[in-house]
Structures are given as C-alpha cells and as structure tokens.
Amino acid sequence: MDDLLDRLRTSIGADHVLTEDADVAAYVVDWTGTRAGRALAVVRPGSTEEVAAVVAACAGAGVPVVPQGGNTGLVGGGVPDASGNQVVLSLGRMRRVREVDPVAGTVTVDAGVVLADVQAAAEKVDRLFPMSLGSEGSCTIGGNLSTNAGGTAVLRYGMTRELVLGLEVVLPDGRVWDGLRGLRKDNTGYDLTQLFVGAEGTLGVITGAVLRLFPATPRHATAWVAVSSVDAAVSLLGLAQQHAGVHLSTFEIANRQAIDLVLAHLPGASDPLGEPSDWYVLVELAGSASDDGLDETLESLLGEAVEAGCATDAALAGSPSQRSALWALREGISEAQKVEGATLKHDVTLPIARLAEWADAMGPRLQEVCAGVRLVTYGHVGDGNLHYNLNAPLTDGGHSDDDALRAAAADLTTAIYDSVAREAGSISAEHGLGRTKAAAAASYKSDVEVDLMRAVKQALDPAGLMNPGVLVPPAPGASA
Ligand code: FAD
Ligand code: MLT
Ligand code: ZN
C-alpha cells in the first residue's frame, strides 16, 4: 500500500493525501454520527485530471474508492467501511463555477461546489437554481446528483435528475467521460447522464455538471398553517393547487412533536401561533417581480381552507425576517432531532391518497413495538414523502432513553418498511440507499430489478471498486 500512497502523493501533492487520524477524522464519520469507518487515506484532488489519476492508481492497486462531497448524506454512502482498506476521494477542493449562461439557462460547475454557492451564482444573473435542502450550506452538487436529492422545491421543479443536462465523470478505470453538454434535445443513444444520477458513487466519480436555471422568483407569500390531521393537510394541498397553480412552490408538513423539538433546541425559535396544533403545514407561493397578487391569493386560499375545515389557524409572514423564522421551524427539525438524542430515520413515499390512513395506522402499531417511542413526522407531503422519523422514548426522569430505541430499532424499521411495501411505496424517497438501506431495498425489489441493477454495476465497474457495499448489495456468494 505504500506504493499506492507514494503514487497518490506524486499525482496530487503530498499535502492532499491525508493519513493521520486527526486529519481524516471528519471524513470517516457521517453527519448522524452513527456511521464511522476507517480509511487507508483521504485524498483531495484539485482537478478532473487529478481525480482521474487517483482513480486509475487505486484501480491499478485494487483499492476501493469512496467518493465524498459535503458528507451530509443520511444513509452512510459517503463514508468508508470498517476495513481501513478504502480510499476516500473528497471533491472538497473542486469548487469552481465554470460558466453561467443566463440566456441558455445553464450553469456549469465543478462537482465540489456547495449547493448554496450554485444558488448564489444563479441569483447574481437574476436566475434561480431551485434545489433547496436543509444541508445546502455544506452539501455539494456532486453529492446532490449522486443521491438524486429532493428537498423543498421538488413540488414545482422536480428532483435533482430533472435539473441536470450534462455531466463529466471519471469512470472506475480512470478514463474521463466528457458529457458536459447543455443541450435540451439530444436523442443519440442511452441517457448516460441519468445513469450516474442517483448512482451514489458506485459507477464513477462525477467531476462536473451542467445544471438548469429558471426565471428568478423574488416574490414570496408564506404561511404557517395549523391543520388537524394529515388528511386535512392533503385536502389543503388540493385547495392550494387550485388557488395558486404554478405559483405553489412549497408544501411541507410537520407534527407537533417535531416542532416541540425545534422550540426546545433551536436558539431563537418561537411558536408563531397561540394554540398548539397536532400538525402544521408550511405553504409558500413564489413568483416573478411582476407577480403582484401572491399575498391576496394566499389569504383567500387560507380563508377558504378554514371555511372548509381543513385549516384551523394560520400565521402569514409579513417580512423577510418573519419568512425566515417560519422556514427555520421546518429546516431546524433534523438538527433538533439529533440534539435531542438517538434518532431512527425513515424516508418514505406513498401515493398521496394513502398517506393519511397509513400514518394514522402506523403510530399505534409502533407503540406496540416500543412503548413511548416519539413520532417526529415531517417532510415533503406535497410529494407524498414523509420523514417518518423516530426519537427515543423518555425515561421517568425526562431523558431520551437511547438504549430503548436502539433495542427496538430493527423491529420498528421492519414494521414501517413492510407496511410501505404493501402500499407500493418506496423506503427511500430522496436520501438514497447507501450502506444503511442497500440490503433492505433489494429485499423489497423483484429479482429482475435486482439483476438489472447488478448488471449495470458489473458493466461499468467490473472490478467492484467504486463504493462497494453501497446501493447494490453483493450477489449471494460474491466476495465484494
Ligand atoms: P455526501 O454525503 O458526501 O455523499 C452522498 C453520496 O454521494 C455518497 O454515496 C457518495 O459516495 C456520493 N458522492 C458524493 N459526491 C460524489 C461525486 N462527486 N461523484 C460520485 N459520487 C459522489 N436530502 C434530500 O434529498 N432532501 C432533503 O431535504 C435533505 N435535507 C437534509 C437536511 C440535513 C440537515 C442534512 C444533514 C441532510 C439532508 N439531506 C437531504 C441529505 C443530504 O444532504 C443529501 O443526500 C445531499 O445530496 C448529499 O450531498 P453531499 O455533498 O453531502 O454528499
Ligand atoms: C429534511 O427534509 O429535513 C431531511 O431530508 C430529513 C431528515 O433529516 O431525515
Ligand atoms: Zn427531506
């Protein structure tokens, strides 16, 4: 292995090949703090050519590569396993916005550019890059593409795969595929770009991307709405679509438990409504500078919602700072859950029409598995996507009983996944599979689907060195 490390130092400079425990520490543990591995080295190439040199050297030495962006992934796909034999390839130095073309509506970036920086580059030319996640200050475009990230703008603009036109990828043997084309129309064969989107680093390393831009939406009307149930939230969604049409940009749900955690742990957070409610919806309409009537549209929508019984109260943002405060209640939930104690995440989608009945039935069933488990339910209800997350029961002294949650974790997750599968839903709406869910996802897919996934992996990465153990479970009897 010393030969490989020497070769890597020669290719990208000794300063960018990290091997000391203190230097690699932040790269081998995930955001949740529950997935920790070991690395042979962490390498930080500064260009596509350097990424290619690293991947070729690792391929030559038979050493697995784990691509990593901002390390905000929630399924353990961007951190190495416990073997200490894998090289973590961080894109953190590749942060160049290569080109912005407002007329074509494209921005071309290095894969290591942080999502918030892409949003800012678009804003500078009066355009919008709509993807928005709670982690946008640290996640990278390469990670967003590789997980096909969702977030709070999917309702209007779609998942990451709908926001990309072309890619540059270093293949598992070190060759570079230059597919950095910004064409809207290109029917010249298999869609290779889309093959790498959502591949979680198992087919190659994304080094650059051409992304789509949209007209800017500087005007917003935002409300925090109390609703009595998931069913009421789904009815409100129907009304919002009717009233606001294309202007409806956000429709996020949270239960009271989630908001209680934010109020307890997020400095400065306050409840915008006087009376507590079991559920809340964050609704936002967005429009161009000439869209004058958004506030009126939102007010009339809410008036009708109260009359129809699908909303009980609402607070409208009267200023940008009030808007930010409402958004912070929603975006602070992941962090608040983590501060509270042990957490179990379930990122599920169901047909929207089935969501309410499913959620109502699931709660009591989980109490039978783990008495007192706290349901922290929130997410992108407009996309049929709930984060059906759990926090540990409280002890008699009011502390998070993390051991109780860990002891029941497997049974809780199986109860949820089995039930989602019966509803023809998905056990990963937007976070991907990583190491955490690869085996479970395969167990709910048909043999045909798993065979096709393995065939794609085998065709592009026959040596199985790109992020092994992630997304595609090894075939029975295989060593990797
Ligand atoms: P990493 O965590 O570094 O990696 C994720 C996966 O992509 C790994 O498998 C890794 O190997 C692979 N990868 C990374 N870069 C590359 C590359 N250049 N080439 C090939 N493979 C690569 N996700 C959502 O979808 N919606 C949300 O609303 C959302 N909210 C979040 C809120 C918080 C507070 C946090 C912490 C996370 C949230 N996430 C959300 C999850 C996470 O931010 C996304 O999955 C994000 O896309 C990961 O980007 P990253 O750069 O951090 O990738
Ligand atoms: C979010 O939407 O806030 C995250 O995807 C949910 C999570 O952290 O589980
Ligand atoms: Zn989410």
Side-chain angles (χ1 to χ4, degrees), residues 31 66-74 76-79 91 111-112 132-135 138-152 159 199-202 204-207 330-331 334-335 380 387 430-431 434 467 470:
W31 184 86
V66 179
Q68 188 180 97
N71 197 13
T72 66
L74 298 172
V79 286
L91 281 292
S132 178
L133 316 179
S135 54
S138 26
C139 65
T140 62
I141 284 300
N144 302 148
L145 287 158
S146 299
T147 55
N148 185 28
T152 53
M159 301 283 282
E200 300 184 44
T202 61
V205 183
I206 297 174
T207 50
R330 162 62 184 92
E331 295 291 26
S334 289
E335 180 67 30
H380 321 287
H387 295 305
E430 58 173 11
H431 297 160
N467 223 358
V470 168

